[in-house]
Structure formats: structure tokens, C-alpha cells
Amino acid sequence: MADYRTDLVPVAGKSRLIAEVDDLEVITESRVTDCRTAIIRGMREYLEQLQVAWPGGRTTRFLRVVEEFAAPEQLEKYPSASVHGPGVGKYDASRMSPRVLKVGDGSQHLYLQQASELVQPFVIEAWTTDKVERMAIAAMLEDALDPVEWMYGARIELPHYFNLRATYEKLSIGYDETGDDPARRWRRVVMEVTGTLVQAKLVGKIMPMRVRTRNFVDGIEDVEE
């Protein structure tokens, strides 16, 4: 019997898994969310790109992923998932040194100022309709949160938050069956995850420093810039 296999089907313009250790980070000036929302949205967009191949050739992926808590009847299609952060995120300035990073190639003289790291706990709830499908989805989530050999966790690039990269680490997993009617008993996977992302802000235009030197040769002043 073949194993479950998790595949990634990238979508242009969406959050992107960093699969190679030497993948160069290119910062942009685009920010359309706050830091906390960026972490949640990044995971939502990542989950939408995953699929798992079952033994026997069947392929499954989430038919809907939402960024807030959802009851099964709100999701409409299965398997589906919700990504929501019931826990309080904490800013941690002690884990990094203040930095100013250039945006793009630096030609626009725009910079990001890193203030601190936000550590945000959240929950992935995956809703399935039978135990076999639940097992396949759980295997897919486990793979997705440890996709590469060179680091623990997953690093995801967030185009909606300066194109910065968040790191995600899985903490726990549990099974639950919800519903009073045995014919409509949803099988649920609950995974606790922590997301870490630098909280940053765009610093106006910083012009490069111009250096002037004054030299005197035979009593004649020569100014260089």
C-alpha cells in the first residue's frame, strides 16, 4: 500500500512556502493587513494550496478555508478548514535586534523599520465527514507544518505584509467528533500552531548620506562628493 503524499500547488500572488534555504527575500512596500492578521492570512492561503494523495490514487484538498471560527454548517463544503486565533499574541523585542531594511533594490530609498516579533498562537480546525478522510487531512497538515529538511516548522512569504516571512510551528493535534445525529457526525482535526512574524513599519524616504571631503594641494582647496 502506498503512503499518503502531500503536494503543494502554488498560486501566483498568494502566500508562498520557502522551500529552499537560499531563497532570497525581497521586501516590498505593500501592507494591507496588521501583523496578527498577516500571520492568520498567510496560513489560510498556504492551506488552500495543499492537496493530499491517498493510497489508491484519490486526491483530496480543502474545498474552503476561512480566517475565523466557523461551525460546520457555515462551511458548506467538505473537507474545509478554519484558521483562527483565540489566544493573545505577544510582542517579543528580546528575540531580535532593531533593524532598518531597504525595500526592493533600494532605488526608491524606502525602508522598513523592524520593531519586534509578534508570536501569535492560533488553531487550525479541519472538518471532514469520515475517519479515513480525517486521517488523510491530518497527515497533510503534519507534512505542511514540517515541509523541508533544513528547518523545523514552515516558513511562508507574505505578499500582503511587506513580503516578509512568517515562521509556523505545530504544537499539538487532536481528534473530535461533533454532531448529535450519527448520520451527520463531522470528524474534526484540531491543530494548535504558533506563528512568528516581525512587526514592521514603512519608514518614509531616507536619502543616502552624501560625503564631502576637503583636500588642500599646494594651498588650493579641492572638494569631492
Side-chain angles (χ1 to χ4, degrees):
M1 179 181 292
D3 294 332
Y4 290 111
R5 187 186 72 252
T6 300
D7 296 313
L8 181 68
V9 183
V11 177
K14 299 294 185 179
S15 300
R16 179 175 72 94
L17 174 69
I18 304 303
E20 304 294 335
V21 67
D22 58 352
D23 190 307
L24 181 64
E25 183 177 48
V26 179
I27 297 171
T28 71
E29 59 183 293
S30 176
R31 178 184 65 175
V32 297
T33 72
D34 63 288
C35 190
R36 178 189 183 280
T37 303
I39 292 173
I40 302 298
R41 176 172 170 177
M43 180 53 60
R44 189 260 296 172
E45 292 184 351
Y46 179 46
L47 294 180
E48 290 174 336
Q49 299 171 52
L50 297 172
Q51 64 182 25
V52 58
W54 298 31
R58 178 180 172 184
T59 300
T60 298
R61 64 186 304 164
F62 288 124
L63 300 181
R64 187 181 183 196
V65 185
V66 297
E67 291 181 31
E68 68 278 345
F69 174 81
E73 54 271 11
Q74 294 174 302
L75 295 173
E76 299 176 355
K77 300 178 180 180
Y78 303 95
S80 291
S82 64
V83 184
H84 56 96
V88 175
K90 295 185 178 181
Y91 298 104
D92 188 351
S94 66
R95 296 177 59 175
M96 58 178 293
S97 300
R99 298 175 64 192
V100 176
L101 306 175
K102 69 180 180 180
V103 173
D105 61 5
S107 61
Q108 300 299 314
H109 309 305
L110 293 173
Y111 295 83
L112 286 188
Q113 178 182 332
Q114 297 182 344
S116 61
E117 282 188 329
L118 177 62
V119 182
Q120 177 65 53
F122 64 91
V123 173
I124 300 171
E125 291 189 75
W127 298 85
T128 68
T129 54
D130 63 70
K131 293 181 178 180
V132 177
E133 185 179 65
R134 178 174 62 184
M135 183 169 59
I137 291 295
M140 183 181 76
L141 291 176
E142 289 174 337
D143 290 349
L145 269 296
D146 269 311
V148 297
E149 298 178 357
W150 47 270
M151 65 171 287
Y152 174 73
R155 184 165 297 156
I156 298 175
E157 189 171 78
L158 311 176
H160 49 273
Y161 195 79
F162 302 121
N163 220 39
L164 292 174
R165 295 171 178 181
T167 300
Y168 299 87
E169 299 179 2
K170 62 184 185 295
L171 301 178
S172 67
I173 190 170
Y175 280 1
D176 183 37
E177 298 190 5
T178 303
D180 296 330
D181 182 355
R184 298 188 61 194
R185 186 176 295 277
W186 290 281
R187 275 70 180 183
R188 188 169 61 122
V189 181
V190 181
M191 178 176 281
E192 294 181 318
V193 181
T194 293
T196 304
L197 175 64
V198 172
Q199 184 261 311
K201 65 178 181 179
L202 191 67
V203 178
K205 292 195 173 183
I206 302 178
M207 298 304 295
M209 181 176 62
R210 300 177 65 184
V211 179
R212 293 168 58 96
T213 61
R214 300 176 66 186
N215 301 310
F216 291 86
V217 179
D218 296 330
I220 301 174
E221 182 180 9
D222 180 28
V223 179
E224 297 180 353
E225 295 189 359

